[in-house]
Amino acid sequence: MTDRNTDVRRAIADVELLRRVLNQVEQKKTEHRSVGLFGATLNANILLQGGAFCIALVFVIIEVLSGRGISAFIMLGREVGEFPLWGIGLMACLVLAMIVSLYLVLWRAAQNSGEEFNSYIARNFRYARHLSYISDLMMKFIAISLILLVGQPQWIAPLLLAFTGDYLLQGRLFTLPTRVGVVLGVFCMAAGFIQFVNDSSELLVPFIVFIVITGISLGRLLHLYRQQNGFGD
């Protein structure tokens, strides 16, 4: 009887050990998948961040070639009474285009992965689930709209830096290691505060900072893409 009890205990211990190993393996797979850096999801991240990088680069080129033309245009809000309404309208179109582009890319990625759209977003793009991305963009849109309506367009530049820092701290858009994201997020917040204190309306600062951070994140994704597809071996 004693030997039989011992065998039962050993069997139970073996089953428990096997269960723990399987749970650890499954947890690692889940963590890997939650990062979303493989297959169609990796391509979606590259497409989204590449698009954001190109748009910001176009803004920088226009700003430089026009002799700070975008900054000067925004500062018209102090002089032209109807400008805030025009500015808000243009921003509304831009925000709408961003939302449509994001969810179109995610919908296509979900199809390529063979998953249901909402489940795919919840697993790979948590910042976009339950329309939280739309809510976040709307809050930022409202903040800039209020700044234009009160006639303080010089606050837009530091606010854009703060928005970039907020995205980094929340883990939105960029795919960077947590520590790097936190450090860069705090840096952006501090830079935005300094620009606000100095009453600087220079848009090149937030544009260039955004390009550099997006470039770092995009470079990391492209490096991973090359590894997964066997390039450079």
Side-chain angles (χ1 to χ4, degrees):
M1 179 68 73
T2 303
D3 293 339
R4 186 174 299 176
N5 290 338
T6 302
D7 291 339
V8 171
R9 292 194 188 98
R10 287 178 179 176
I12 294 175
D14 290 341
V15 171
E16 181 66 20
L17 178 61
L18 180 61
R19 185 182 65 82
R20 290 179 181 177
V21 172
L22 291 175
N23 287 339
Q24 289 176 358
V25 171
E26 184 64 26
Q27 183 178 2
K28 289 181 179 179
K29 288 183 178 180
T30 303
E31 289 174 354
H32 176 68
R33 289 177 178 176
S34 66
V35 175
L37 300 181
F38 64 96
T41 304
L42 175 60
N43 296 336
N45 274 284
I46 291 175
L47 183 58
L48 291 173
Q49 295 183 34
F53 180 89
C54 291
I55 292 173
L57 185 60
V58 169
F59 283 154
V60 168
I61 293 174
I62 294 175
E63 180 78 350
V64 171
L65 296 182
S66 63
R68 298 182 69 252
I70 300 178
S71 298
F73 179 73
I74 289 178
M75 293 305 293
L76 286 175
R78 287 179 166 180
E79 303 173 4
V80 182
E82 296 181 357
F83 175 82
L85 298 179
W86 285 99
I88 292 172
L90 289 174
M91 281 195 306
C93 293
L94 180 60
V95 169
L96 180 61
M98 292 171 62
I99 293 173
V100 171
S101 299
L102 172 71
Y103 284 97
L104 183 61
V105 170
L106 297 187
W107 173 77
R108 183 60 180 171
Q111 278 196 327
N112 291 336
S113 298
E115 294 187 46
E116 194 271 333
F117 181 64
N118 291 328
S119 299
Y120 177 80
I121 291 180
R123 189 167 64 85
N124 297 290
F125 293 87
R126 294 181 179 180
Y127 64 81
R129 62 181 177 178
H130 305 312
L131 302 180
S132 59
Y133 181 77
I134 296 179
S135 175
D136 183 76
L137 276 181
M138 289 303 300
M139 292 302 298
K140 290 175 170 55
F141 169 74
I142 292 173
I144 294 180
S145 298
L146 291 175
I147 285 176
L148 290 175
L149 289 174
V150 299
Q152 300 294 338
Q154 73 277 9
W155 293 349
I156 292 180
L159 196 59
L160 290 178
L161 277 171
F163 288 166
T164 301
D166 178 58
Y167 268 24
L168 286 163
L169 294 176
Q170 291 190 58
R172 295 176 181 267
L173 181 63
F174 307 106
T175 46
L176 296 169
T178 302
R179 292 183 180 179
V180 175
V182 170
V183 171
L184 291 176
V186 172
F187 166 78
C188 289
M189 292 288 187
F193 178 76
I194 292 174
Q195 195 171 19
F196 172 77
V197 171
N198 292 328
D199 200 29
S200 172
S201 62
E202 185 61 64
L203 287 173
L204 274 178
V205 176
F207 286 162
I208 291 177
V209 169
F210 182 84
I211 286 176
V212 171
I213 294 174
T214 308
I216 295 173
S217 180
L218 187 59
R220 180 170 177 259
L221 292 178
L222 292 175
H223 176 70
L224 185 58
Y225 179 86
R226 290 173 62 87
Q227 285 185 329
Q228 292 184 7
N229 290 275
F231 296 131
D233 293 341

